[in-house]
């Protein structure tokens, strides 16, 4: 059987398994086994097993993932975010759209300290969703800003997605963190600008709020600064040690976990029960990611050895397009896949196909391409029908918030992500400037 036929069969089995509703990790692993059997090359499974134990489970960089997840769990237990949001909410109460702007700013800070999308959206949803609805904010704007802002964690360092991307590319974690930082912050600013525009054009969607129990403004500023110091120290401890070359990503993640635990203890929020829960949730999240990594490694290993990878790359090369058109096609593929797969599956499936082709393009900077792809992957959490942020928000939203409100709410923010992609595409310096300053 030809390599082209094997490629079509394996992709067909992958799509069928996902449509049936099976977990991605098991669909990838099962497709790898069936592909090897259909191709009559079951001996490749032994090679794949050696690759899993030799390359994946022995990958030092991947240790950073459970440590950053543990850091996020500790920070969530500290209660820092709750106090910061409350003080910022009161401080911006008289500003039109002030609550929505507070959500954006706190989400940016959460993104720089957690990198866990589910945790960010859940925390912001619990804190901000009901108050915003009670103060007259439109359900669509409320849901949209919480869902979109909560997804900034996969772009703003320390991002688990960027760590995984680095482990499967020639780039270092530090380079990717530096390259993604400016686009991530700009995207957060775009969200805030959009909220401000909506508040001006449609004040009924984002009214100003004047609480009766308004503390003095000076006291609010002092409270905000006090609550912001611990997470800022955490950010500087992680990114400072990493970008300065003092620590690797794995060592920086360990620093982050220790600092987050220190914050919990200093605030008097430490209990052995919460400590155990943090470890348990870290184990669950890390195991989920690792299972997907193992399944994708098996899939790409069989796909490569049976010739499917080469056939797919030859098909893309055979399109005979200009480099910018080929890159556009790649980004469109990533965007479409985002509606059906999570970022983990997309990265692990597309990198083996795309990166060798991009590295052949002399005029294309690999760091720029990977960060551009990371920006596009922001949409994978927001695009129906399988946007994970939509499900996270649906789970915590009150019954009066309709699913259509959530979907309509994220559409403008998907448009802003597309705009950010164009900015990165036409102004590569947004990606390359900071790494050049730090590493050259």
């Amino acid at each position: 059987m030809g390599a082209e036929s094997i490629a079509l069969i394996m992709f067909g089995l992958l799509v069928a398994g996902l449509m049936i509703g099976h977990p991605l990790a098991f669909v990838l692993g099962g497709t790898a086994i069936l592909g090897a059997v259909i191709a009559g090359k079951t001996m490749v499974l032994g090679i794949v097993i050696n690759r899993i134990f030799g390359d994946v489970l022995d990958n030092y960089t991947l240790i950073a993932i459970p440590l950053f997840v543990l850091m996020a769990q500790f920070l969530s237990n500290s209660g820092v975010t709750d106090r910061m949001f409350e003080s910022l909410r009161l401080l911006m109460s008289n500003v039109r759209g002030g609550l929505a702007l507070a959500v954006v700013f706190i989400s940016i800070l959460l993104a720089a300290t957690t990198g866990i999308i589910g945790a960010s959206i859940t925390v912001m949803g619990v804190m901000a969703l009901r108050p915003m609805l009670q103060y007259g904010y439109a359900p669509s704007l409320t849901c949209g800003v919480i869902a979109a802002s909560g997804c900034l964690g996969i772009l703003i360092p320390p991002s688990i997605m960027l760590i995984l991307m680095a482990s499967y590319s020639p780039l270092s974690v530090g380079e990717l963190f530096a390259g993604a930082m400016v686009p991530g912050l700009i995207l957060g600013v775009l969200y805030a600008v959009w909220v401000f525009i909506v508040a001006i054009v449609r004040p009924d969607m984002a009214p100003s709020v004047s609480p009766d129990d308004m503390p003095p403004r000076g006291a609010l500023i002092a409270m905000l600064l006090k609550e912001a110091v611990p997470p800022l120290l955490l950010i500087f401890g992680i990114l400072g040690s990493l970008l300065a070359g003092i620590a690797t990503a794995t060592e920086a993640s360990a620093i982050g976990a220790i600092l987050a635990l220190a914050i919990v203890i200093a605030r008097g929020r430490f209990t052995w029960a919460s400590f155990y829960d943090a470890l348990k949730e870290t184990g669950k999240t890390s195991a989920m990611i690792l299972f997907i990594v193992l399944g994708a490694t098996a899939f790409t290993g069989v796909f490569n050895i049976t010739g499917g990878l080469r056939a797919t790359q030859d098909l893309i090369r055979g399109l005979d397009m200009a480099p910018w058109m080929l890159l556009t096609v790649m980004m469109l593929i990533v965007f479409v896949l985002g509606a059906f797969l999570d970022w983990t599956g997309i990265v692990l499936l597309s990198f083996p196909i795309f990166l060798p082709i991009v590295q052949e393009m002399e005029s294309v900077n690999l760091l720029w391409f990977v960060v551009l792809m990371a920006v596009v992957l922001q949409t994978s959490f927001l695009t129906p029908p399988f946007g994970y942020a939509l499900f996270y928000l649906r789970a915590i939203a009150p019954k009066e918030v309709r699913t259509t409100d959530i979907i309509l709410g994220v559409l403008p923010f998907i448009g802003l992500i597309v705009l950010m992609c164009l900015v990165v595409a036409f102004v590569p310096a947004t990606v390359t400037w900071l790494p050049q300053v730090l590493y050259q």
Side-chain angles (χ1 to χ4, degrees):
M1 188 176 293
E4 294 82 1
S5 300
I6 293 296
L8 288 174
I9 290 172
M10 289 189 69
F11 273 118
L13 290 172
L14 178 63
V15 172
L18 293 173
M19 290 298 102
I20 293 172
H22 292 301
L24 175 61
F26 300 117
V27 172
L28 288 168
T31 301
I33 295 173
L34 291 175
V37 172
I38 293 171
K41 298 181 179 180
T42 53
M43 73 288 296
V44 305
L45 295 176
I47 300 174
V48 169
I49 292 172
N50 289 333
R51 181 181 174 189
I52 288 173
F53 282 95
D55 296 337
V56 178
L57 297 181
D58 199 31
N59 191 328
Y60 181 69
T61 303
L62 291 180
I63 300 174
I65 292 178
L67 287 172
F68 274 130
V69 175
L70 182 61
M71 180 194 75
Q73 295 295 332
F74 284 152
L75 193 70
S76 177
N77 292 340
S78 71
V80 170
T81 309
D82 304 21
R83 297 287 299 275
M84 275 196 302
F85 177 75
E86 181 62 19
S87 56
L88 192 58
R89 177 184 75 84
L90 294 172
L91 190 63
M92 303 181 68
S93 60
N94 291 322
V95 179
R96 289 198 180 276
L99 286 182
L101 291 172
V103 167
V104 175
F105 295 145
I106 297 297
S107 294
I108 292 174
L109 195 60
L110 270 177
T113 52
T114 61
I116 309 297
I117 303 305
S120 297
I121 294 176
T122 302
V123 168
M124 290 311 305
V126 170
M127 286 192 303
L129 186 57
R130 289 186 182 275
M132 290 177 72
L133 295 175
Q134 289 171 0
Y135 285 123
Y137 278 73
S140 58
L141 178 63
T142 300
C143 295
V145 72
I146 292 174
S149 300
C151 295
L152 289 170
I154 67 167
L155 190 58
I156 296 177
S159 161
I160 289 177
M161 182 184 76
L162 296 178
I163 295 171
L164 194 63
M165 283 179 155
S167 69
Y168 282 86
S169 73
L171 302 168
S172 70
V173 175
E175 285 180 297
L176 267 180
F177 276 10
M181 188 176 298
V182 174
L185 294 175
I186 293 176
L187 186 58
V189 172
L190 285 177
Y191 289 169
V193 170
W194 171 253
V195 168
F196 186 72
I197 292 173
V198 171
I200 293 176
V201 177
R202 292 286 306 275
D204 58 305
M205 295 183 67
S208 57
V209 180
S210 297
D212 297 330
D213 55 344
M214 185 72 172
R217 191 175 186 84
L220 284 175
I221 295 175
M223 184 190 302
L224 180 61
L225 292 176
K226 177 184 175 182
E227 298 300 331
V229 167
L232 288 176
L233 289 176
L234 186 62
I235 293 170
F236 289 137
I238 299 168
L239 297 183
S241 61
L242 181 61
L243 298 180
I246 300 172
T248 64
T250 304
E251 293 161 349
S253 66
I255 292 172
I258 292 172
L259 288 176
L261 180 59
I263 292 172
V264 175
I265 295 173
R267 292 177 62 86
R269 301 289 292 267
F270 178 84
T271 64
W272 286 111
S274 64
F275 183 76
Y276 172 75
D277 288 340
L279 294 178
K280 184 172 66 174
E281 291 302 317
T282 298
K284 288 181 181 179
T285 304
S286 303
M288 177 190 69
I289 294 173
L290 188 59
F291 268 120
I292 295 175
V293 170
L294 295 180
T297 301
F299 180 91
T300 54
V302 173
F303 195 62
N304 183 17
I305 296 173
T306 56
L309 182 62
R310 188 182 306 108
T312 306
Q313 290 174 340
D314 290 343
L315 176 64
I316 295 175
R317 292 188 184 99
L319 295 176
D320 195 23
M321 293 180 174
W324 69 270
M325 291 184 65
L326 200 55
L327 292 173
T328 302
V329 170
M330 291 180 183
M331 293 303 109
L332 287 174
I333 292 173
V334 171
F335 179 81
V336 172
L337 287 176
F340 303 97
L341 298 176
D342 67 352
W343 63 264
T344 317
I346 297 171
V347 169
L348 296 176
L349 291 176
S350 63
F351 261 36
I353 298 173
F354 290 166
L355 290 191
I357 297 174
V358 173
Q359 287 176 295
E360 295 171 2
M361 302 177 184
E362 296 181 359
S363 59
V364 178
N365 183 297
L366 184 62
L367 174 63
W368 169 82
F369 171 81
V370 173
V371 173
L372 177 61
M373 184 171 167
V375 176
V376 176
L377 281 171
Q378 283 276 311
T379 63
S380 68
F381 281 90
L382 301 174
T383 45
F386 298 118
Y388 282 80
L390 310 181
F391 294 119
Y392 293 142
L393 204 56
R394 178 67 275 173
I396 61 176
K399 294 180 179 179
E400 59 266 24
V401 175
R402 301 173 300 171
T403 302
T404 51
D405 291 327
I406 299 175
I407 295 174
L408 291 175
V410 300
L411 293 181
F413 294 94
I414 293 175
L416 292 175
I417 295 172
V418 173
L419 175 61
M420 190 65 229
C421 292
L422 294 176
V423 171
V424 171
F426 289 102
V427 190
T430 54
V431 173
T432 58
W433 171 75
L434 188 57
Q436 288 173 352
V437 169
L438 293 173
Y439 299 112
Q440 292 184 6

